[in-house]
Amino acid sequence: MAEIRAFRGIRYAIDRIGDIGDVVAPPYDVIDGSMQRALYDAHPNNIVRIIQGIGNEGDSIDENRYTRAADAYRNWLEQGVLVRDRDDGIYLYAQDFDVSTPDGKQKKTRLGIVALVRADALGKGAILPHENTMPGPKADRLALMRHTRAAFGQIFSLYSDPTGQVREILAPVLDDAPLFTFRGEDGVGHSFWRITDQAVICGVANVLNDMPFFIADGHHRYETAVVYRDECAAADNEDWQGKPYGYRMQTLVNMDDTEGMAINAIHRVVVDLGADGVERLIRGIAELCDVERLPLRNTQWVLQELKRRAGRGAVFGFCHGACSDVHFLKLKRGVRASDLDGGNHSEAWRRLDTGLLQLILGRVLELDQETLAAGEKVKFVKVEREVLDLVKAAPDRAGFFLNPVGMEQLRDVVLAGERMPPKSTFFYPKVYSGLVIQDLRSF
């Protein structure tokens, strides 16, 4: 099972910085060009300069965004902008936020524990993935790790604690004033505490050390951490067990806390179908699915209808053309997902809405799974309104609205030894980088 431990984190000196919200950032993989520029302008010590630095024309092997990240990190330590905590500890990270549901806005608070977790190779320990990874992001994160020898953001993972043992142990900490709070531009509130009470730390560890952890966000960073672990062990000619680089900082959240967990759906838009592609798609869907056509009122109504119909199996909202109508699709009684799949996946995978839709599109459009997963033929969309905008922008497109994946569904797929279809889960909100930093050379 997992092994967690306390550490002496490196944090921004609040008396030097002021508002911590000016120097932290979302994870690197959601920072686009405009956000990157805004974070650069927000503060000269914003963590984006390390985790997602701007490349310059003329960059070389000796001067590039990774060398500049290492220089910034070293300089901030020397200048006292970043300081190391004196004592071993773990951290408590709360995020309060509004989440959109088919029934309107809902307020939630998610509580996470930031600690070091032994970096077992995926499939050989207690860390379980649910997504596949790509080589490009892993090479990028490995280059940053090699240059800085530090981790600036947490892997976001889930554990199962249906009785709330961990929350009960941590309850007294929440009565204390946090180290800092800030509110992001998206309205999400962030609060951060440090815990040095050994009784509390041991109590949390005793519960969590017996559990597997399911990675929610950070698959690329985690796989990179394992590669870096092995590189360091080989260079030192020693076992990585018990070494600082053999652990990785994670934010651990109780997947059974329904008051704090939020998984949003990621919808699909099929593009480049060709002159008669939409009609061919409609005919193919009609062969496999029962279709109910209704006037499209608005996207909120579509989501409400999907939720209402969800108890009767996977259901999708399908639109095309001017999107004046929505077609609600459900697999016909005589059509089995296993027949569409050919036995390539587990029953848990085939029960996913994202899995079944991938099988339907593969059969109707005669596309292999690699093409569907690549994101070229099928675009993944997080905002419902954008589905309509993308479909209306070209006549050879069609959109699909989905229900969000449930936590039990994710758990079932992972425990079956599989990974989810691409872009099945959108965990909200994101876990910020720069709250605390892990030195990979010492605890």
Side-chain angles (χ1 to χ4, degrees):
M1 291 297 176
E3 178 196 343
I4 76 164
R5 63 164 294 157
F7 68 112
R8 292 188 301 136
I10 296 170
R11 296 185 292 108
Y12 281 102
I14 298 174
D15 58 341
R16 293 282 302 271
I17 293 299
D19 185 357
I20 294 295
D22 291 337
V23 292
V24 296
Y28 79 101
D29 55 342
V30 300
I31 298 175
D32 59 17
S34 60
M35 182 186 293
Q36 183 187 42
R37 188 71 261 174
L39 292 169
Y40 258 74
D41 294 340
H43 199 284
N45 300 120
N46 190 285
I47 200 69
V48 74
R49 295 169 184 263
I50 295 177
I51 65 170
Q52 191 74 320
I54 293 175
N56 295 332
E57 187 176 348
D59 275 351
S60 66
I61 194 169
D62 298 317
E63 171 67 27
N64 52 63
R65 62 191 183 99
Y66 305 113
T67 61
R68 290 190 290 273
D71 289 343
Y73 180 45
R74 183 182 61 255
N75 291 337
W76 297 354
L77 286 167
E78 292 174 352
Q79 296 162 6
V81 173
L82 295 172
V83 294
R84 184 191 289 270
D85 285 325
R86 289 184 177 183
D87 305 310
D88 282 355
I90 61 176
Y91 303 83
L92 197 55
Y93 180 22
Q95 294 170 283
D96 62 87
F97 57 100
D98 292 334
V99 61
S100 296
T101 74
D103 303 316
K105 296 283 187 181
Q106 181 180 356
K107 291 188 178 297
K108 287 180 174 285
T109 298
R110 189 174 72 195
L111 190 64
I113 301 150
V114 181
L116 299 189
V117 181
R118 189 180 62 228
D120 295 327
L122 295 178
K124 296 183 179 179
I127 312 300
L128 306 175
H130 82 271
E131 286 184 347
N132 289 305
T133 56
M134 296 177 289
K138 288 189 287 188
D140 167 55
R141 292 301 94 181
L142 184 57
L144 180 64
M145 210 174 297
R146 286 168 174 166
H147 281 80
T148 61
R149 294 186 286 183
F152 303 92
Q154 306 96 47
I155 311 299
F156 174 23
S157 293
L158 309 171
Y159 63 90
S160 180
D161 181 17
T163 62
Q165 295 180 72
V166 173
R167 180 67 178 246
E168 185 175 346
I169 295 169
L170 294 171
V173 178
L174 295 171
D175 292 332
D176 297 334
L179 292 171
F180 58 80
T181 63
F182 67 93
R183 191 164 295 277
E185 290 187 1
D186 56 0
V188 176
H190 304 255
S191 301
F192 206 70
W193 293 259
R194 184 163 71 99
I195 303 170
T196 55
D197 185 321
Q198 290 302 307
V200 174
I201 294 172
C202 290
V204 170
N206 287 339
V207 177
L208 295 182
N209 282 344
D210 291 332
M211 297 182 180
F213 295 150
F214 301 79
I215 297 179
D217 273 339
H219 289 78
H220 291 94
R221 282 170 286 162
Y222 189 85
E223 290 189 17
T224 303
V226 174
V227 172
Y228 183 79
R229 177 202 77 182
D230 292 340
E231 283 187 354
C232 291
D236 295 341
N237 193 28
E238 60 182 5
D239 192 339
W240 61 267
Q241 296 280 354
K243 301 296 188 297
Y245 54 75
Y247 293 79
R248 184 42 51 102
M249 184 169 61
Q250 299 204 28
T251 291
L252 307 170
V253 172
N254 183 9
M255 66 196 309
D256 299 308
D257 178 14
T258 56
E259 297 303 313
M261 287 303 306
I263 304 179
N264 295 343
I266 302 180
H267 311 287
R268 273 73 169 140
V269 174
V270 186
V271 299
D272 300 329
L273 286 169
D276 62 346
V278 172
E279 290 301 320
R280 183 162 58 92
L281 179 61
I282 293 171
R283 291 194 299 270
I285 286 174
E287 292 179 3
L288 301 176
C289 299
D290 291 324
V291 181
E292 181 181 1
R293 179 177 174 178
L294 294 173
L296 196 158
R297 301 178 189 175
N298 52 58
T299 54
Q300 183 76 7
W301 171 79
V302 173
L303 298 184
Q304 289 173 337
E305 285 296 304
L306 289 175
K307 179 182 178 182
R308 184 176 68 83
R309 299 159 185 259
R312 291 172 276 170
V315 59
F316 314 104
F318 169 58
C319 62
H320 59 86
C323 298
S324 55
D325 297 320
V326 61
H327 305 72
F328 290 102
L329 313 178
K330 187 177 183 300
L331 207 61
K332 287 184 175 179
R333 185 182 296 272
V335 179
R336 297 184 302 179
S338 57
D339 293 336
L340 301 178
D341 184 25
N344 294 323
H345 296 286
S346 67
E347 182 63 26
W349 190 98
R350 290 194 292 264
R351 283 199 299 266
L352 295 169
D353 289 21
T354 53
L356 179 57
L357 181 58
Q358 183 167 310
L359 295 176
I360 292 172
L361 293 178
R363 173 64 64 87
V364 172
L365 300 178
E366 299 177 351
L367 299 174
D368 58 38
Q369 300 304 304
E370 289 74 20
T371 301
L372 288 168
E376 297 177 0
K377 196 73 176 180
V378 179
K379 301 300 180 184
F380 305 106
V381 185
K382 297 175 182 177
V383 180
E384 293 81 17
R385 180 70 231 178
E386 291 180 5
V387 173
L388 303 181
D389 294 340
L390 285 170
V391 171
K392 292 176 183 178
D396 61 346
R397 296 179 178 179
F400 293 86
F401 295 97
L402 285 74
N403 275 308
V405 170
M407 195 63 68
E408 289 187 8
Q409 290 180 299
L410 182 150
R411 180 164 27 198
D412 290 345
V413 171
V414 172
L415 292 179
E418 287 202 85
R419 306 209 182 182
M420 308 276 279
K423 303 298 181 183
S424 288
T425 57
F426 175 35
F427 288 91
Y428 182 81
K430 296 296 182 180
V431 173
Y432 266 48
S433 297
L435 304 173
V436 62
I437 297 166
Q438 176 194 0
D439 184 347
L440 295 173
R441 295 166 295 180
S442 66
F443 293 115

